[in-house]
């Protein structure tokens, strides 16, 4: 791929997300997400391998289904309310379908199945793009409609994401799959608190992005893709290995690291909302 075509592709990814974030109309938000999706497909399929082609196909199919669900939801809502405004999503059925489509877009449970597979089939830089930048647009849309979504749906999906993300990453030796399950787990925290305190959900996802970016960049620099690689790099670059270990502890939310702060605030908010059982489950 030539530098000019890569520039066009990255512009498409950037403009698509910004268009979705700044739109107040469902059609414009949908167009932004479609532009973003079509622009990232050449980036995922850049390595000329069978796994990269498979990852591209899986990503395209899941995102296309999510986009179709999103369009169906907004059309049904427009049919009933007479407008396409994002903030006027009043129909309960439309809101549920929209919430599911956005969860599918960002890779939250129970529609998370594509994320570990896609990340495993592509490069570390592309995996970084999918786990960080690609989540911004769906999270923004969910933030905008959070008042209309039934808390039961968000909390159920959030708790399921936490459980699947936590258990799924245990048996992994591939670092990209581990990061995918870490992403699912973090989305669980974001979605759960979205029902009660949307601003805190945004703070949580941006803290996650700030912590995940250096992990992927360090792994790219060290050319490590498995836990075995990571264990042998200790002898060659001690500082890098130590940095990645501390960053991973931070991402998992261990005190006194940065990652503990949003989790502590989320638990505090859940307890103050008299949701002690939920807070216990989250721990």
């Amino acid at each position: 791929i030539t530098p000019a075509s890569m520039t066009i592709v990255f512009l498409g990814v950037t403009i698509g997300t910004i268009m979705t974030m700044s739109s107040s109309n469902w059609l414009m938000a949908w167009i932004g997400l479609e532009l973003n999706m079509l622009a990232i497909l050449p980036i995922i399929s850049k390595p000329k391998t069978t796994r990269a082609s498979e990852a591209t196909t899986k990503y395209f199919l899941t995102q296309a289904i999510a986009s179709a669900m999103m369009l169906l939801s907004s059309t049904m809502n427009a049919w009933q309310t007479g407008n396409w405004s994002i903030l006027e999503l009043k129909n309960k059925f439309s809101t549920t379908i929209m919430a599911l489509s956005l969860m599918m877009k960002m890779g939250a449970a129970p529609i998370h199945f594509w994320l570990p597979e896609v990340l495993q089939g592509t490069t570390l830089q592309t995996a970084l793009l999918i786990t960080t930048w690609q989540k911004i647009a769906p999270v923004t849309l969910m933030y905008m409609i959070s008042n209309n979504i039934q808390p039961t749906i968000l909390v159920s999906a959030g708790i399921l994401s936490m459980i699947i993300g936590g258990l799924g990453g245990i048996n992994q030796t591939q670092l990209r799959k581990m990061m995918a399950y870490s992403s699912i787990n973090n989305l669980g925290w974001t979605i759960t608190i979205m029902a009660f305190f949307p601003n805190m959900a945004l703070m949580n996802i941006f803290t996650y992005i700030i912590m995940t970016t250096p992990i992927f960049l360090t792994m790219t620099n060290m050319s490590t893709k498995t836990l075995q690689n990571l264990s042998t790099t200790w002898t060659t670059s001690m500082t890098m290995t130590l940095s990645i270990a501390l960053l991973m502890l931070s991402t998992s939310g261990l005190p006194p690291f940065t990652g503990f702060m949003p989790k502590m605030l989320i638990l505090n908010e859940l307890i103050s909302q008299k949701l002690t059982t939920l807070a216990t489950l989250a721990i």
Side-chain angles (χ1 to χ4, degrees):
I1 300 174
T2 60
S5 58
M6 279 309 282
T7 308
I8 293 165
V9 162
F10 277 109
L11 267 174
V13 171
T14 312
I15 292 166
T17 300
I18 292 167
M19 191 191 290
T20 303
M21 287 171 72
S22 57
S23 60
S24 59
N25 182 297
W26 277 120
L27 279 177
M28 286 305 291
W30 176 76
I31 290 165
L33 284 169
E34 286 296 292
L35 174 64
N36 178 283
M37 179 191 75
L38 292 171
I40 203 172
L41 293 177
I43 301 173
I44 301 171
S45 62
K46 196 184 173 190
K48 296 289 175 276
T49 60
T50 317
R51 296 207 70 165
S53 307
E54 187 186 328
T56 312
T57 311
K58 282 176 180 174
Y59 186 83
F60 172 73
L61 289 173
T62 47
Q63 297 296 313
I65 292 164
S67 292
M69 285 167 69
M70 187 178 168
L71 204 58
L72 169 71
S73 166
S74 51
T75 308
M76 283 177 65
N77 187 66
W79 192 9
Q80 287 209 339
T81 62
N83 68 50
W84 288 88
S85 172
I86 290 175
L87 300 173
E88 292 296 317
L89 195 68
K90 301 295 183 192
N91 183 352
K92 272 191 177 180
F93 184 65
S94 295
T95 314
T96 308
I97 293 176
M98 185 61 73
L100 286 171
S101 75
L102 293 173
M103 284 173 202
M104 195 172 188
K105 280 264 176 207
M106 60 178 101
I111 324 166
H112 65 284
F113 51 85
W114 62 271
L115 189 61
E117 297 299 319
V118 170
L119 255 60
Q120 186 56 35
T122 189
T123 62
L124 286 165
Q125 294 96 322
T126 312
L128 167 64
L129 193 66
I130 293 167
T131 49
T132 55
W133 183 259
Q134 292 299 94
K135 287 192 174 24
I136 296 172
V139 167
T140 308
L141 286 175
M142 192 172 269
Y143 173 81
M144 290 165 84
I145 63 165
S146 58
N147 291 336
N148 301 326
I149 307 172
Q150 288 169 289
T152 320
I153 295 165
L154 289 175
V155 169
S156 305
I159 292 292
L160 193 60
S161 295
M162 285 182 206
I163 294 165
I164 288 171
L167 296 176
I170 291 171
N171 204 27
Q172 297 300 330
T173 54
Q174 296 288 334
L175 289 174
R176 279 168 294 181
K177 277 196 175 180
M178 275 177 69
M179 292 308 293
Y181 282 109
S182 164
S183 171
I184 293 163
N185 177 271
N186 189 271
L187 279 171
W189 287 87
T190 307
I191 291 167
T192 305
I193 200 63
M194 189 75 81
F196 311 104
F197 200 158
N199 289 348
M200 200 177 283
L202 284 191
M203 186 199 71
N204 183 57
I205 197 78
F206 283 114
T207 309
Y208 170 77
I209 289 170
I210 291 162
M211 290 185 303
T212 305
T213 306
I215 293 178
F216 274 108
L217 293 176
T218 311
M219 288 195 316
T220 308
N221 197 15
M222 292 162 68
S223 301
T224 52
K225 290 178 182 175
T226 62
L227 278 175
Q228 194 176 3
N229 289 156
L230 202 60
S231 61
T232 54
T233 52
W234 179 259
T235 50
T236 52
S237 62
M238 192 174 167
T239 318
M240 284 276 201
T241 315
L242 192 62
S243 301
I244 206 165
L246 292 173
L247 281 163
M248 281 185 167
L249 287 173
S250 182
T251 315
S252 62
L254 204 75
F257 300 106
T258 315
F260 175 64
M261 179 192 63
K263 288 183 171 61
M264 183 184 69
L265 291 171
I266 288 169
L267 288 172
N268 184 47
E269 183 61 29
L270 289 174
I271 291 162
S272 67
Q273 293 271 2
K274 306 266 190 301
L275 294 160
T276 319
T277 317
L278 200 59
T280 316
L281 262 173
I283 295 165

